[in-house]
Amino acid sequence: MMRNFRDWATRFASRLKVWRRAISDEDLDRVLSGLGQALTAVVDDHPQATLAYRDRFVEWLQAGDALRAAEEVGSSRRPTTAADVPGPLSPATRLEVVAARWSMAIGSESYVSEDLSPDLSEFLREFTLHVVAPEQTRIPVDRIGYELAQRIKTTPAAFGQSLRILSEFFRSLEERLPQTSDWTPVIGRFGEGYAAGTRARALEGQDLLIEALHRAKEAAVHAALINARFHEILHTAPIPMGIANPDGRITTANDALRRLIGEDVPVIDRDLASLAHDDDSRTPLWSLHPAYDDASEPAQEFRLATSPYATPVWVRVHWGRHRNDEDVPGEIPFVLEDVTQHRALRRWLDHSTRYDGAFDMPSKRHFMDRLSALSSTRNNGRVGMFAVRFDNMDAITAHYGSAASGKVAKELAARTRAAAEQAEMVTQLDATTIAILVAGPDQWAAIGPAIQLLVQSLTGPVAVTSKEAVSIVPLIGAVTDGPPHGDADSLIRWLDHSLDTNRRTTNSSQPRVIPAAEAESAASRVVEAAGLGQAIATDGVRLRHAPIGSARSARILGSHVTLHWRHPTMWRTPINEVLDLADTFGTTAAAGHWMISRAAETAARWYQKFGERSPFVRIDLPGRKPLTDTLFAHLAAELARYRFPERLLQLSVPVSALLDDDGRSWRELVGLTGNGIALIINGFGEHLNRMPRLTGTPFNGAVLDPQLAANLFSQSAPTAQDVETKPVVQALIECADTLSLETTVPGISTREQRDAVRRLGATLIEGDLTGCAGTEADLEAVVSRSMEIHAVAK
Amino acid sequence: MTHDGNEHGPVRDDKVSAEFKSVYVELRGFVARSALMRDPGVDAEAVAHDIMMELWEKWSTFADTQHRKAWAFHVARHRYVDYQRKASRERTVSDPETAAMDRLTQVDDQTRIAYREALQEITDLPDDERDVINLQLNGFTLEEIAKVLDISTRTVSRRLEAARKQLRTRLGRRAPRQPPPLSDPGPPASPADGDDDHDGEGAR
């Protein structure tokens, strides 16, 4: 027993690091000697440890000594040449001679600095090892070439000469040491590496230069940059570069420039401007030549140069400064930046050839081409053109100036484009006219509401100054192809005619001046409404479910659904405002339909999942005339599609919306309620005088006016109004009871408030106590949990 | 390549070559081992190659092998840092030197684990103590170590003792069981002892 305990204690102690005993000296000696042997085994396992390697190594070292001796003797007499390489010396001895000659060949252009000489020797030694003893090499031979190209700037001629020297050396090695590897592939791989290195270096140089040119905002900095690196990269850079004299004639051109212009086009002694692309293009491609004698203002312009055998390319000319001081007098270096190589710039240039600068709309020519193409094919049926003319723009220009007028035109153009997004093409025909091309059945179907939206958005005010805004009178003209019209030009003429006719009939007046604040608000609303329409069409809106609970037990009985629109910039705008606005622009119906469809779908799904205890879905319909015929039809269709018990889908409607223009309740309401839907009066407490008129309408519930609910639990000092709130609420709830309506009180945050409204007779509550609004899944999870708890409690 | 103008002239004679060859294997091994003891990940072969080349250049400046060893030890001490930097730039996945070192660090049996841990502990020692242990492992006596490091024998003893104490403690923490002798790995550990290396269930 005791021994067991000791064993256990020893084991336990050995597990705790701090209690472990140090090992004995004997153990340590054993470990150290074993480690020494293991290390020796590792070290001796390398070829370096063999005697053969040792002998070759010593031979190599001796050869190095001999070479130095030969070199010292040689240098005292005259420079060593290929013929002077001493014959009797070992092959490795000649290596050093080769290294010296090689360095000289590479450095013949004074490009190699003193610092790089050790690198050169190191590379050459490695290079030779690849031939003599490949197993000893540490750097791949192509890597040597690459590194060399990266570090040492040389000319192709010098490089070729250095390779010849090397080949000569290897050939002599081959004669003396037949066991050496074949050196031809080594040279080949080296050359590949060198070429890759040169390319990388040139590209790097180009990137650096172009990057620097892009960044340099000041013309002087451009010139300084060009001057600083110009001669260094002139002949090797793949950028078109050259030198011009003060007369503008090219005196030097590098290969890249010759390639750009065309190999067989004489470049020297020509004016740079004369090389510009010159065809019957519709835009001037080559503007006036910059003044060469104005050194303080080097030009940077977009030009189009061309090669006879290639497509025209865009270039930007960067001029350097005169180099009067140290170089040849009057040299003006220039760099043609091939901007077509830059994707972003190329896109922009392509875009700019097809789009007009002012409004960034497709150019008129582009528009006409498209119109002609559509008219000629006629696959899509009728082709139509609508034109919008901002008729009183002249008055705006006269009153506020051309800058303000331009701003207004731009804003209106943006609105037009937004409203006519579905159209085939929108373009600017002239300063005040925008044309909309319509083709295809889809576009024709959408054109009615689009034009309506367009007129409304264009008549909306536009801010011209910080204090004032104007609204214009848009003239709309339309023309469709087919007899009596002929080609595209004829269609445009007819469109003008149509606009003129409209002008005579509308008799447009001076611009209306509006306060800017109102204008801004209206302008943003226009954007919002357009965006909402898009969001609904593309399912960019979501439903948010706020739980509605029982006033007695707080159990979740249903959800109050609101439209949630994640607009990127307008996210702070209350959805009610947007819906009101949407109503103005005719998108309410779309929003209502969308909400009804989604809510019905959710209700049906929940019914399938939760059965009899399924929560209801209550949606708010906007206040202004929501109950249109199409909405009724849509609702009926959805109800027929998803069948679920009565009251699972609830429509919450303000009292004001329940009466028609004659003050009578909508007859359709009766039909609706018999169809499995519940109608809820929203804002119960408002417009009490209208309530008697709704007698006979089968309502199922009422939601207390949120303002009344808020006053009921106001924390501020009691006022006369507060004192009266409670009896009013009580009276309302009693009234609702009389009408057999379930009363919902919004804005309940605490249990005390819930108890209070329960005592007043309310049935349902909504607010922080029941939970904040979430997704459909969130509410579903809450209901599931509550049902599980309920089941367990049972 | 530098030229030091030694007494043998630029071209060393056969005697020097013979001497160099006679100590090559020993010195190279010493240099490579020293480098590895300092940092198991170093490119020991490259360090050894360069130091041997330099040694050839400076052959005449050394009196005897011990002198050369001392010099080589000092050079290796600093040279490996350069190689480490270079290796971090150039080393590829299949670096043969690293692969050789990996063989030692591979966990193939208990003995190797013990050696790997010992090597790790040695490299973690302070510089002074590690140098002493390193030289002792390479067969230097206390006096020789004192000469190489240019310190007193007494200091060598003290450092050696401190290093050994540290190693004994640390290795005790790392490996409670004694490593089996090199020549004979011995019988496998009993199941009860083996439990020490596992999750400790047996101790409860």
Side-chain angles (χ1 to χ4, degrees):
Chain A
M1 167 86 181
M2 202 52 209
R3 203 184 66 178
N4 285 346
F5 175 75
R6 200 179 299 123
D7 284 351
W8 175 84
T10 311
R11 282 162 172 274
F12 183 66
S14 70
R15 263 164 230 293
L16 297 175
K17 284 188 171 181
V18 288
W19 288 358
R20 280 187 183 166
R21 251 191 342 217
I23 60 170
S24 67
D25 273 332
E26 292 75 27
D27 288 341
L28 180 62
D29 285 339
R30 196 174 293 132
V31 169
L32 289 179
S33 91
L35 173 64
Q37 289 176 30
L39 282 177
T40 305
V42 169
V43 165
D44 288 350
D45 198 28
H46 195 267
Q48 270 192 13
T50 62
L51 294 180
Y53 182 94
R54 179 199 65 182
D55 293 344
R56 203 155 62 177
F57 184 60
V58 171
E59 203 176 295
W60 188 69
L61 291 170
Q62 281 179 324
D65 290 346
L67 171 87
R68 272 200 300 276
E71 220 174 24
E72 276 180 6
V73 174
S75 63
S76 63
R77 292 182 301 192
R78 58 190 170 88
T80 307
T81 62
D84 293 329
V85 176
L89 291 179
S90 68
T93 309
R94 294 189 62 191
L95 176 64
E96 296 296 327
V97 178
V98 171
R101 288 179 56 209
W102 214 51
S103 307
M104 206 181 296
I106 288 179
S108 58
E109 299 291 323
S110 307
Y111 276 142
V112 62
S113 64
E114 289 295 321
D115 302 344
L116 287 169
S117 298
D119 280 347
L120 208 57
S121 302
E122 168 74 14
F123 284 139
L124 197 60
R125 200 176 66 206
E126 277 289 322
F127 200 167
T128 312
L129 279 178
H130 274 280
V131 178
V132 182
E135 72 279 0
Q136 292 176 31
T137 55
R138 283 181 290 135
I139 310 174
V141 68
D142 48 354
R143 175 72 180 271
I144 295 173
Y146 188 89
E147 290 287 329
L148 199 67
Q150 287 282 307
R151 296 188 202 182
I152 299 167
K153 305 160 196 166
T154 182
T155 58
F159 180 66
Q161 192 192 343
S162 66
L163 270 193
R164 269 197 302 280
I165 294 168
L166 204 60
S167 304
E168 183 189 304
F169 167 63
F170 284 147
R171 207 173 293 120
S172 71
L173 259 190
E174 204 175 22
E175 287 165 9
R176 289 158 188 276
L177 297 173
Q179 74 271 25
T180 51
S181 309
D182 185 7
W183 52 272
T184 322
V186 175
I187 291 254
R189 284 204 305 281
F190 171 80
E192 283 169 16
Y194 188 85
T198 313
R199 274 198 302 276
R201 196 160 167 277
L203 287 176
E204 185 187 317
Q206 174 181 257
D207 289 349
L208 283 175
L209 179 72
I210 287 179
E211 183 66 26
L213 289 172
H214 272 301
R215 286 187 183 172
K217 301 288 180 204
E218 308 255 339
V221 183
H222 275 273
L225 271 167
I226 291 170
N227 283 6
R229 290 211 61 196
F230 189 79
H231 281 283
E232 198 178 314
I233 61 174
L234 171 64
H235 290 292
T236 52
I239 325 167
M241 298 165 90
I243 298 172
N245 63 18
D247 299 331
R249 304 217 168 258
I250 298 169
T251 55
T252 308
N254 70 353
D255 291 345
L257 179 57
R258 288 173 194 278
R259 276 196 299 276
L260 178 75
I261 303 298
E263 297 279 359
D264 53 352
V265 176
V267 175
I268 303 300
D269 207 31
R270 279 186 68 176
D271 190 337
L272 194 58
S274 70
L275 299 168
H277 184 59
D278 183 25
D279 64 0
D280 55 354
S281 170
R282 50 188 170 269
T283 47
L285 301 170
W286 193 270
S287 57
L288 280 177
H289 211 276
Y292 290 110
D293 52 357
D294 189 0
S296 64
E297 202 174 60
Q300 311 126 39
E301 295 174 16
F302 280 108
R303 308 291 175 93
L304 190 68
T306 184
S307 151
Y309 307 110
T311 51
V313 290
W314 283 93
V315 295
R316 180 191 282 162
V317 187
H318 300 274
W319 294 99
R321 285 175 185 278
H322 283 282
R323 297 178 66 89
N324 288 323
D325 41 7
E326 64 247 22
D327 288 313
V328 183
E331 264 193 1
I332 305 171
F334 64 87
V335 176
L336 297 187
E337 183 190 352
D338 183 357
V339 290
T340 44
Q341 295 297 318
H342 299 278
R343 199 176 297 163
L345 277 168
R346 188 170 61 227
R347 268 206 303 269
W348 183 84
L349 288 166
D350 288 347
H351 180 86
S352 68
T353 54
R354 289 182 291 116
Y355 284 74
D356 282 338
F359 293 168
D360 197 27
M361 285 182 170
S363 64
K364 189 177 174 184
R365 177 174 282 272
H366 194 196
F367 182 86
M368 298 296 277
D369 289 348
R370 185 80 186 130
L371 177 60
S372 302
L374 284 172
S375 297
S376 61
T377 55
R378 288 181 181 275
N379 285 338
N380 294 322
R382 250 180 340 146
V383 177
M385 265 203 301
F386 291 81
V388 183
R389 181 166 290 168
F390 312 139
D391 198 34
N392 40 10
M393 284 299 282
D394 293 343
I396 294 173
T397 312
H399 199 264
Y400 295 101
S402 57
S405 135
K407 186 179 163 192
V408 171
K410 217 166 192 172
E411 165 69 25
L412 293 174
R415 288 186 193 183
T416 309
R417 193 164 40 195
E421 204 175 31
Q422 305 292 325
E424 182 77 20
M425 192 178 275
V426 181
T427 195
Q428 186 191 5
L429 287 183
D430 58 46
T432 56
T433 312
I434 289 175
I436 301 161
L437 184 61
V438 181
D442 293 345
Q443 290 177 21
W444 277 111
I447 195 68
I451 292 292
Q452 196 184 353
L453 180 63
L454 180 64
V455 173
Q456 281 166 335
S457 64
L458 289 179
T459 45
V462 185
V464 275
T465 64
S466 58
K467 289 180 183 168
E468 287 183 330
V470 294
S471 75
I472 57 111
V473 181
L475 285 176
I476 308 284
V479 64
T480 57
D481 70 338
H485 317 305
D487 57 357
D489 288 333
S490 151
L491 277 171
I492 293 284
R493 278 197 301 278
W494 275 101
L495 197 60
D496 275 343
H497 177 71
S498 157
L499 286 168
D500 289 342
T501 316
N502 281 350
R503 176 187 287 166
R504 280 195 290 278
T505 54
T506 53
N507 188 22
S508 57
S509 58
Q510 291 290 312
R512 189 165 65 95
V513 178
I514 307 154
E518 188 188 323
E520 271 178 27
S521 152
S524 70
R525 283 174 161 232
V526 168
V527 178
E528 284 168 27
L532 180 65
Q534 294 285 323
I536 291 167
T538 58
D539 257 4
V541 282
R542 296 277 178 277
L543 289 185
R544 301 281 285 178
H545 295 257
I548 297 175
S550 157
R552 192 168 53 85
S553 64
R555 195 164 70 83
I556 305 303
L557 297 177
S559 90
H560 178 199
V561 172
T562 48
L563 196 63
H564 182 73
W565 176 30
R566 296 195 60 179
H567 190 282
T569 53
M570 304 292 168
W571 59 276
R572 279 179 297 189
T573 309
I575 193 70
N576 285 341
E577 278 187 24
V578 175
L579 283 178
D580 282 349
L581 188 78
D583 186 25
T584 318
F585 285 96
T587 45
T588 322
H593 289 188
W594 188 86
M595 281 179 78
I596 287 170
S597 297
R598 295 292 172 279
E601 189 186 334
T602 305
R605 205 169 57 74
W606 283 354
Y607 178 61
Q608 216 167 22
K609 182 170 181 179
F610 299 114
E612 293 303 319
R613 288 183 163 275
S614 172
F616 58 83
V617 180
R618 179 182 294 176
I619 55 178
D620 287 343
L621 289 181
R624 198 182 300 177
K625 294 179 187 172
L627 301 174
T628 59
D629 289 346
T630 53
L631 188 128
F632 281 127
H634 184 74
L635 200 52
E638 291 297 327
L639 290 174
R641 186 174 164 201
Y642 306 105
R643 295 196 174 277
F644 42 78
E646 200 172 343
R647 296 192 181 191
L648 276 193
L649 184 63
Q650 303 189 348
L651 297 183
S652 167
V653 190
V655 175
S656 57
L658 293 171
L659 300 170
D660 61 16
D661 294 339
D662 300 330
R664 286 179 305 217
S665 65
W666 292 86
R667 277 175 301 150
E668 288 84 351
L669 288 176
V670 182
L672 261 185
T673 49
N675 219 352
I677 215 164
L679 272 183
I680 308 292
I681 302 172
N682 201 359
F684 193 59
E686 286 180 315
H687 306 294
L688 279 175
N689 58 335
R690 295 190 185 180
M691 290 302 294
R693 297 187 199 171
L694 293 169
T695 315
T697 312
F699 286 107
N700 300 93
V703 179
L704 199 67
D705 181 13
Q707 192 56 48
L708 276 176
N711 288 343
L712 191 61
F713 305 115
S714 172
Q715 295 294 316
S716 57
T719 61
Q721 191 188 11
D722 289 332
V723 173
E724 287 169 5
T725 305
K726 191 173 174 184
V728 168
V729 171
Q730 192 163 15
L732 281 170
I733 292 175
E734 280 172 9
C735 169
D737 270 348
T738 314
L739 293 167
S740 308
L741 304 180
E742 282 185 332
T743 318
T744 308
V745 183
I748 301 296
S749 310
T750 62
R751 292 174 70 94
E752 290 73 29
Q753 291 178 354
R754 188 193 83 193
D755 292 343
V757 296
R758 181 171 53 84
R759 280 195 295 273
L760 290 175
T763 327
L764 300 169
I765 56 164
E766 189 186 340
D768 293 346
L769 189 65
T770 52
C772 57
T775 62
E776 189 181 322
D778 292 342
L779 193 102
E780 213 173 299
V782 170
V783 173
S784 294
R785 271 204 304 278
S786 129
M787 289 181 84
E788 280 167 18
I789 292 167
H790 187 72
V792 171
K794 254 185 167 180
Chain B
M1 288 180 201
T2 58
H3 177 233
D4 61 347
N6 55 64
E7 62 181 6
H8 296 279
V11 184
R12 280 94 176 154
D13 56 22
D14 290 344
K15 189 183 161 208
V16 172
S17 302
E19 277 179 25
F20 186 82
K21 281 182 184 177
S22 67
V23 296
Y24 172 86
V25 173
E26 188 194 354
L27 272 173
R28 194 205 70 87
F30 166 66
V31 169
R33 270 197 308 275
S34 298
L36 283 180
M37 293 275 278
R38 184 164 285 276
D39 177 5
V42 77
D43 184 352
E45 304 308 326
V47 173
H49 184 268
D50 268 23
I51 289 177
M52 292 309 286
M53 263 180 64
E54 216 167 312
L55 191 65
W56 170 265
E57 296 289 331
K58 299 182 173 164
W59 187 259
S60 62
T61 52
F62 303 113
D64 53 23
T65 308
Q66 212 55 33
H67 190 186
R68 289 180 193 111
K69 267 193 181 180
W71 172 85
F73 177 78
H74 282 295
V75 176
R77 198 187 205 179
H78 303 293
R79 188 62 60 84
Y80 87 96
V81 178
D82 300 340
Y83 275 88
Q84 213 172 15
R85 288 198 196 116
K86 196 174 174 186
S88 67
R89 289 199 306 268
E90 292 183 355
R91 185 178 292 161
T92 57
V93 180
S94 59
D95 186 2
E97 285 79 13
T98 316
M101 192 53 220
D102 283 348
R103 283 208 301 281
L104 178 66
T105 57
Q106 274 166 8
V107 183
D108 51 357
D109 61 36
Q110 290 297 317
T111 318
R112 292 247 179 241
I113 293 173
Y115 295 155
R116 187 192 61 192
E117 287 172 351
L119 184 61
Q120 186 58 52
E121 292 299 351
I122 289 173
T123 53
D124 286 349
L125 284 176
D127 278 358
D128 295 345
E129 294 173 12
R130 183 180 51 227
D131 287 345
V132 177
I133 283 284
N134 187 351
L135 288 169
Q136 198 198 28
L137 262 186
N138 275 293
F140 283 61
T141 62
L142 287 188
E143 288 73 25
E144 286 168 346
I145 296 173
K147 208 171 167 187
V148 167
L149 296 179
D150 198 19
I151 49 177
S152 70
T153 320
R154 190 181 164 76
T155 310
V156 174
S157 305
R158 206 173 56 240
R159 285 184 189 172
L160 195 60
E161 191 47 45
R164 288 179 63 88
K165 190 177 172 188
Q166 286 251 37
L167 288 176
R168 280 169 50 211
T169 314
R170 290 185 189 179
L171 290 174
R173 270 188 216 158
R174 272 179 180 271
R177 286 184 300 118
Q178 298 169 359
L182 265 182
S183 51
D184 179 12
S190 71
D193 286 344
D195 188 48
D196 271 348
D197 290 331
H198 300 296
D199 61 354
E201 287 299 318
R204 292 184 194 140

